[in-house]
Amino acid sequence: MSEKRSSTELLEGAYRIETPQDSVSYYQEFADHYDTKFAQELGYVYPRIIADHYHRAATPFDRPVADIGCGTGLVAEALNLPCAEIEGFDISPEMLERAQGKALYSGLHQVDLTKPLIPPTAPFGAVVSAGTFTHGHLGPAPLENLLALARKDALFCIGVNAQHYKARNFGAFLEKLRRTGRITRPKLKSVPIYCDPDSAHGADTAQVLIYRKL
């Protein structure tokens, strides 16, 4: 991917992703520029906001943390936890390679979240995510798959692009999980994704879904 590509062009390309394989192919080239051409230039505050909501809601028992769609590790940087207390999950080996270089995680896992997940030997006390549930990426179904990673009463702080939340009917899916005794009633917090509301997509917002596994 050429460094001449603007941050806005990179974002538009990410929004056009349609399949898991599209994600693998796109982030294969995007990984080298994610932190600079995307996160820094666009004022991407979303990872810090997800980390802030985790810390506000978490108890000392809500660890270790599974960082879903961890990318290059921006949420882990914002969480500022010991690396022994956080593991990352992503579909892109190139993004995971960049995260590995930052020494933020005790473990990194390449996974396709549209498929069932193997429960870990030691379940996680919390599951967080920023930027994974958005246009062209994941619909609501993987929220159920993520429950397999977590122990009972684990904290979930999951960010979902607000337009995507409405278009893919996340609310109905969450209500189904609640009615079937899988999760507590989610609290929704509307948050900005970027710090400059006047930039391209700067007015985009997300819903942070905060709930616990039952």
Side-chain angles (χ1 to χ4, degrees):
M1 183 175 294
S2 171
E3 292 190 21
K4 295 181 179 179
R5 293 279 295 280
S6 72
S7 54
T8 302
E9 288 175 317
L10 293 174
L11 176 58
E12 295 292 352
Y15 276 9
R16 287 193 293 269
I17 289 171
E18 294 183 356
T19 68
Q21 186 54 49
D22 289 344
S23 291
V24 173
S25 299
Y26 188 76
Y27 287 104
Q28 183 176 13
E29 298 181 84
F30 197 177
D32 283 337
H33 311 291
Y34 189 83
D35 287 6
T36 54
K37 297 290 288 183
F38 175 73
Q40 292 179 19
E41 289 189 13
L42 289 176
Y44 188 56
V45 295
Y46 199 8
R48 176 180 58 76
I49 289 173
I50 292 295
D52 287 347
H53 277 285
Y54 164 80
H55 283 300
R56 290 174 193 170
T59 74
F61 301 102
D62 296 324
R63 300 181 187 180
V65 177
D67 181 6
I68 303 302
C70 65
T72 61
L74 297 181
V75 171
E77 288 177 337
L79 284 170
N80 195 29
L81 295 173
C83 67
E85 296 185 349
I86 183 166
E87 296 187 29
F89 297 77
D90 203 281
I91 197 171
S92 166
E94 287 75 22
M95 297 288 270
L96 290 170
E97 182 179 352
R98 303 311 181 278
Q100 180 70 47
K102 295 180 180 180
L104 297 166
Y105 300 94
S106 63
L108 290 165
H109 313 274
Q110 184 181 1
V111 295
D112 180 350
L113 297 172
T114 65
K115 299 177 180 179
L117 298 173
I118 299 174
T121 303
F124 290 92
V127 179
V128 302
S129 182
T132 301
F133 292 88
T134 187
H135 303 290
H137 289 61
L138 297 177
L143 293 176
E144 185 169 13
N145 293 344
L146 292 178
L147 294 174
L149 297 178
R151 62 174 176 252
K152 184 178 179 181
D153 203 40
L155 174 66
F156 282 70
C157 292
I158 308 293
V160 183
N161 177 282
Q163 291 182 334
H164 191 58
Y165 180 93
K166 183 177 181 180
R168 297 295 298 272
N169 208 6
F170 275 76
F173 194 86
L174 288 165
E175 177 59 16
K176 183 189 77 170
L177 293 179
R178 188 197 68 79
R179 283 190 288 101
T180 54
R182 309 292 302 283
I183 65 172
T184 60
R185 185 182 299 277
K187 297 178 181 178
L188 273 60
K189 306 289 185 180
S190 181
V191 303
I193 296 175
Y194 308 100
C195 63
D196 182 2
D198 296 323
S199 65
H201 289 283
D204 287 6
T205 61
Q207 295 284 359
V208 182
L209 318 179
I210 304 169
Y211 54 91
R212 291 185 178 274
K213 176 180 175 178
L214 293 176

